[in-house]
Amino acid sequence: MPKLSIDDKFIDFSDYGRPIATFLAHHLSNLKVNAIQVTFVFLLAGIICVYCIQTNHYILAAIFLMLKNILDAVDGEIARITKHPSIIGRYLDSIFDFIINLLILISILTIESSSKVIFLMAFFGIEFQCSIYNYYYVILRRSLNNHETSRILEFRKPVSYHYESQRLTNILHIAFLCLYLVFDALVYVLDKPALSVKKFPKWFMSLLSLLGLGFQLLIICGLLCLGLTKMILPFFAWYSIFGLFVILIRKLLVR
């Protein structure tokens, strides 16, 4: 939760790797490693994780998936430490997350010969759950007058920083919309009134964090280590029910 003040921070069950990420970011920034370089390394870690799943090395797969999760936070930390934000990096981060999630679930599908319907439910469920988390988190930051680095719906074409390519930014923006718009728009439709909430209580945000990508990856790592790969797709196929429950809790108790 680096984008929140100390008073506004909550227990984020999806952000458990932040202390390690902060430690690595300080050391890597001293070595002149930039955020986008780290983003590509976490993509590589995710691909190695997929390879390990395919070759039935589940403990190694879990290790590389956790490494990917930590590096996913390192790039943002480096950008903040060096005061060198990157719109390109932000979009690459999300696009690579989408690709890795898809490849991991495809690899589980192939080794377990699971139902393709369950596979689709699991994949769309993971992305939907992440959109729920991001939706309320962005609203919280806006309500606290934090700098708006993310938007509810990313329709507006971003203006790149002077040290970045506007053309590449435009391409990545379009790619981001193609991958995420349907999920973000669905959450927006389900709970548009949340935009008028002045402040989400910390208990709600902690509950919400159980839908964050970091927590999802932790569950996958746990199931991989236990050799319970056959449970991964069914779990995420039905975990979206909890996401709908969180939305219902917001509507009933957080106004």
Side-chain angles (χ1 to χ4, degrees):
M1 295 172 289
K3 298 175 183 177
L4 298 179
S5 67
I6 294 177
D7 292 336
D8 296 319
K9 287 185 177 181
F10 55 91
I11 298 174
D12 189 338
F13 294 105
S14 71
D15 200 32
Y16 48 84
R18 183 67 55 180
I20 299 175
T22 302
F23 173 82
L24 290 175
H26 278 91
H27 284 77
L28 291 174
S29 61
N30 290 334
L31 297 174
K32 307 302 180 182
V33 175
N34 65 48
I36 292 182
Q37 289 171 336
V38 174
T39 303
F40 276 96
V41 174
F42 96 58
L43 173 64
L44 177 61
I47 292 173
I48 294 174
C49 167
V50 172
Y51 173 77
C52 291
I53 293 174
Q54 287 291 307
T55 55
N56 299 320
H57 293 92
Y58 299 139
I59 301 296
L60 276 177
I63 291 172
F64 278 101
L65 185 57
M66 192 52 55
L67 175 61
K68 175 267 172 193
N69 185 48
I70 292 172
L71 292 176
D72 200 353
V74 170
D75 55 6
E77 288 291 341
I78 289 178
R80 280 181 282 276
I81 290 170
T82 60
K83 297 181 179 179
H84 201 270
S86 171
I87 295 175
I88 288 175
R90 184 167 68 85
Y91 284 135
L92 278 178
D93 190 295
S94 297
I95 292 169
F96 287 170
D97 277 336
F98 188 97
I99 293 171
I100 293 171
N101 291 345
L102 179 59
L103 291 178
I104 288 173
L105 295 192
I106 288 175
S107 67
I108 298 296
L109 173 66
T110 57
I111 65 172
E112 294 294 343
S113 300
S114 302
S115 163
K116 292 182 180 179
V117 173
I118 295 297
F119 160 76
L120 290 174
M121 288 177 62
F123 178 68
F124 282 97
I126 282 179
E127 299 306 321
F128 174 59
Q129 293 150 30
C130 288
S131 285
I132 296 174
Y133 173 76
N134 292 334
Y135 180 68
Y136 293 120
Y137 188 38
V138 170
I139 293 175
L140 174 67
R141 282 167 34 215
R142 288 170 51 139
S143 68
L144 296 174
N145 296 318
N146 282 279
H147 293 293
E148 186 182 336
T149 57
S150 300
R151 295 184 290 273
I152 302 298
L153 296 173
E154 299 263 353
F155 285 119
R156 191 176 62 204
K157 183 173 70 175
V159 178
S160 64
Y161 293 103
H162 65 87
Y163 44 80
E164 295 188 303
S165 165
Q166 183 64 53
R167 181 180 179 183
L168 181 56
T169 299
N170 294 343
I171 293 172
L172 293 175
H173 174 243
I174 294 172
F176 178 90
L177 287 177
C178 291
L179 298 179
Y180 285 101
L181 180 60
V182 63
F183 304 105
D184 292 345
L186 177 58
V187 179
Y188 176 78
V189 170
L190 288 174
D191 197 11
K192 183 178 179 181
L195 294 172
S196 62
V197 174
K198 293 183 178 179
K199 186 176 181 179
F200 297 116
K202 293 182 179 181
W203 65 262
F204 175 77
M205 295 304 298
S206 293
L207 179 69
L208 176 69
S209 71
L210 297 176
L211 296 170
L213 181 58
F215 191 75
Q216 293 174 330
L217 297 183
L218 182 63
I219 292 172
I220 293 175
C221 285
L223 293 174
L224 285 172
C225 290
L226 294 173
L228 300 175
T229 53
K230 63 182 179 181
M231 292 183 59
I232 294 175
L233 294 181
F235 177 86
F236 287 104
W238 299 107
Y239 194 53
S240 290
I241 294 175
F242 177 68
L244 295 174
F245 171 74
V246 170
I247 293 175
L248 179 62
I249 289 296
R250 203 298 302 164
K251 289 176 176 286
L252 294 177
L253 301 179
V254 182
R255 299 171 181 268

